[in-house]
Amino acid sequence: MNKQYDPASIEPAIQKRWEEVQAFSAIEDPAREKFYCLSMFPYPSGKLHMGHVRNYTIGDVISRYQRMQGRNVLQPMGWDAFGLPAENAAIQNQVPPAKWTYDNIAYMKQQLKSLGFAIDWQRELATCHPAYYKWNQWLFLRMLKKGIAYKKTQVVNWDPVDQTVLANEQVIDGRGWRTGAVVEKREIPGYYLGITRYAEELLADLDKLTGWPERVRTMQTNWIGKSEGVEISFPYADSPSEALMVFTTRADTLMGATYCAVAAEHPLASRAAKGSPELAAFIDECKQGSIMEAELAAQEKKGMPTGFYVTHPLTGEPIEVWVANYVLMSYGEGAVMAVPAHDERDFHFAKQYKLPIRQVIDVQGKPFSTDAWQEWYADKENARCINSGNYNGLNHKAAVDAIATDLAAKGAGGKQIQWRLRDWGVSRQRYWGCPIPIIHCDHCGDVPVPDDQLPVVLPEDCVPDGSGNPLNKRDDFINCKCPGCGKPARRETDTMDTFVDSSWYFARYCSRDNDDAMVDERANYWLPVDQYIGGIEHAILHLLYSRFWNKVMRDLGLINCDEPFDRLLTQGMVLNEIFYRKPEAGRINYFNPAEVEISLDEKGQRRRIMLKADGKPVESGGIGTMSKSKNNGVDPQALIEKYGADTARFFIMFTSPPEQTLEWSNAGVEGAYRFLKRVWALCQENEQHIKTGMKGKTDWTNLTPEEKQARFDIHAILKQANFDIARFQFNTVASGCMKILNVLEDVSARGGESGDQLVCEGTGILLRLLFPISPHISDHLWRELGYGDDLLGASWPEPDAAALVQDEIELVVQVNGKLRGKVLVAADSDKAAIEQKALAEENVRRFTDGKDVKKVIVVPGRLVNIVVS
RNA sequence: GCCGGAGUGGCGGAACUGGUAGACGCGCCGGACUCAAAAUCCGGUUCUGGCGACAGAGUGUGGGUUCGAGUCCCACCUCCGGCACCA
């Protein structure tokens, strides 16, 4: 074998062999336990970034490990290929989005292949391919038939930069989630998916997802936002046939309502504003007000009376209606009943505008005051109603029930559940997406495209120029015949939100080659996904939509499972240091870390940071996510070319646990490379005797004491590594490989026949443990040294129980909890013998002499603690 | 403001159910090889005192439980992520 480790020669050769034998093609086999390992598919943006490398390496380690555990593993890959960046690139370069996308896919696929992932490429899919998005359209039509998909005209969020509509979920702090542009309100017709119909199940099933990170489940729970309360109608004083609708979770405080407040956008506010320019001005001010959270938190509560009155549904009292900036139109009815005594916001508002405060909740022994807010005013647990007529003495739940019943009897309301979740608007005024399969006919209205005319194929030769959807100018696309009456009609030009594409790709991988059905029975073999791996940024949108889509497919009888992803791992982001200069006020130049040199003092502390090009200082901007704008990215391609895929993979696994952020370090990459070179060197030095038949020898009686200890260490490290890999703590698995190598190098240096035998066994363990992380070098050495034909088919190493038996154990001796010495005792020593030996230890006696030994605690196999007065 | 998560050497990070804090790697220091350098190898490396054996301090801060706390409990500080002034 070669003296030098040369990844550039071994890696492509092994990848070629894997491809030739189709090593990773997954075949359904009911007799075998399946394992579906899925990483979130990439958007083909041009080239891989480090986050992809990390994501897919984690998935690959899990896949290869599961395979060696004997499971039938499916690890597919595909492309989330529709989306705006392709249109933006088209505007810039006059290249059709289709060509740009397919070119990117070709390049990135070759990059993925060079990383040696155990992917079944036969199942590759791209969401921009008609064979894929045909089924988006097909399922959309099924939803339309069931009423889950519907059209409505509604005020939508309009992103002025992307010229598109955004779902409520895609608006963050009043800005587009992608562009950051301030969102405008526009009226546009569009299609919606009734995700709210599934709100109850989407919420309840979160409890089943015990393999998901707790914080993702919490985020989804909050997003769905179930709230149980009572809807109450307050009839208008001047027109009792109309009423102000209000939702409250604290119906038990109804008798304490002293005013009502509505949002600035509420119809009642507009109505009142007609007669009052002052009020109209205030409403305008509220509408313009920032919706940035930090500012809202500090914002002063403001309001104005409308001069309008409603009637209290139980007491008949007149109640004044105010417009207040703390009431949100988008939640509930956009109106609240204000109970200043028992709601903190209402309290502060009432104090400011000197509105009446009426206590209706009492906790015994706690005096109520209208001067300052007290926590207990909102207590639901220990509180009882007072000043509430019939409801006096009732607790929270009983009072809510009684009041809801009485309101219902009067036709003035009743119990209601309020959700934060909204239906999912899927229409996009965009070209590069899946066409919505609808035909507009002047005679028949909106007609669904018949199944036998699917897919509605998107023309791939359009070049967007930034002036809206180019499909609107494509007569060959638009003009068609109405499927109903046969007369000329127009095709819908809106396309679907790309979250539709990614909501079911995991199912399509299972039956990718089936052109007659969306999915077939093979999906029920593979689904649900056993392990899903991806970024935390998809914690809400993608994962919630996929769960919804999965349930719709289940209800249509297409698949069996309730939830698509059994376990979820959210990997941390990849960070790197940011360097910059400010050449003049307001300008900032970022420099890639590769262009920067850092000098250190003798303690390893930083002395100076400078640019290699001119030797002049640059500033450090701390650590941040790798990004184009901060110019702190590291190109995976350069890394692979310099060190090979195995080094890149090893470094990424070694440096941080998967869920934590990963800080890039070129020195760390060097360290990983050094380790692999040492593995190579060890195998090279021991090549002869490993090849000449020491494998399989099980007689370990001739080991020297050092070798016996070394064998114990190897198997103990393996035991720990097996525990760690099962809990996805790959950084300590990688360090376990390093520890085993350290032990083997010592044994190898000492030589001897029994030592050679141990090196042979230990190397076999090391190569298998290293295989999921750095598969090329492991596989190459495994075959080169004659361990077997194929490491892929090898079984996972398990520690030998006999190696873990020790004759003598070192125990730590503490005096009053402080470490004072160590003693070597026979493994089968009884407590008395251990105590005696510990008390006799020289250094221990310095701390016990002349003192009373009050107690001796012996923790078997660990330590002795002597307690003295 | 609320809900999660995290604070450990010069750095990334170990320490499974409370039981030797700092594994492993990086960096740095010293040495070997070399005319020299790179690469490689060997030794050292939490801080303080001491030539040393050792001793003292030490896991964000302050308390507590325990023979024993990075780990458990209470209060607080800082950072990161998420969110909804949600009636």
Side-chain angles (χ1 to χ4, degrees), chain A residues 102-176:
Chain A
Y102 288 125
D103 287 352
N104 287 348
I105 287 175
Y107 182 73
M108 290 171 76
K109 183 175 178 181
Q110 159 262 315
Q111 283 193 303
L112 283 177
K113 287 196 165 181
S114 73
L115 281 158
F117 296 132
I119 288 166
D120 182 357
W121 282 106
Q122 289 171 27
R123 295 173 186 261
E124 178 185 2
L125 57 81
T127 56
C128 63
H129 202 278
Y132 181 83
Y133 66 68
K134 172 183 178 180
W135 302 106
N136 283 357
Q137 296 171 347
W138 182 82
L139 200 82
F140 175 81
L141 294 175
R142 302 281 92 67
M143 288 192 192
L144 207 59
K145 209 169 270 176
K146 289 188 80 174
I148 298 171
Y150 60 92
K151 191 179 188 181
K152 68 174 174 182
T153 300
Q154 204 193 279
V155 178
V156 294
N157 304 302
W158 179 257
D159 186 318
V161 171
D162 277 352
Q163 297 275 305
T164 192
V165 174
L166 301 171
N168 283 314
E169 287 91 335
Q170 292 168 324
V171 180
I172 299 160
D173 292 338
R175 290 165 184 274

Side-chain angles (χ1 to χ4, degrees), chain A residues 3 24 111 172 218 264 453 577 815:
Chain A
K3 210 170 166 71
F24 307 118
Q111 283 193 303
I172 299 160
T218 306
Q453 290 176 27
E577 189 159 6
V815 178

Side-chain angles (χ1 to χ4, degrees), chain A residues 29 67 69 121 123 187 219 321 359 403 409 444 458 470 477 510 529 591 601 614 681 706 708 730 736 784 818 855 862:
Chain A
D29 180 356
R67 182 183 177 125
Q69 293 283 320
W121 282 106
R123 295 173 186 261
E187 288 221 1
M219 281 159 77
V321 178
Q359 182 192 8
I403 287 174
C444 310
L458 184 74
F477 177 79
C510 305
V529 171
F591 300 99
D601 64 17
D614 60 14
E706 291 81 19
K708 198 156 187 264
F730 305 124
E784 192 77 27
K818 289 204 179 217
K855 191 155 52 157
R862 290 247 179 217

Side-chain angles (χ1 to χ4, degrees), chain A residues 284-304:
Chain A
D284 275 350
E285 189 193 323
C286 285
K287 282 180 179 171
Q288 279 166 23
S290 167
I291 26 177
M292 290 289 286
E293 215 169 276
E295 290 165 49
L296 270 175
Q299 187 182 303
E300 190 191 347
K301 284 180 178 46
K302 284 187 189 165
M304 258 186 114

Side-chain angles (χ1 to χ4, degrees), chain A residues 476-490:
Chain A
D476 59 335
F477 177 79
I478 293 172
N479 294 330
C480 60
K481 277 183 182 155
C482 171
C485 63
K487 288 180 183 151
R490 297 175 321 280

Side-chain angles (χ1 to χ4, degrees), chain A residues 234-244 308-312 316-319 321:
Chain A
F234 287 73
Y236 290 180
D238 59 1
S239 162
S241 61
E242 292 176 89
L244 179 68
F308 206 85
Y309 283 81
V310 293
T311 310
H312 192 290
E317 262 182 290
I319 303 254
V321 178

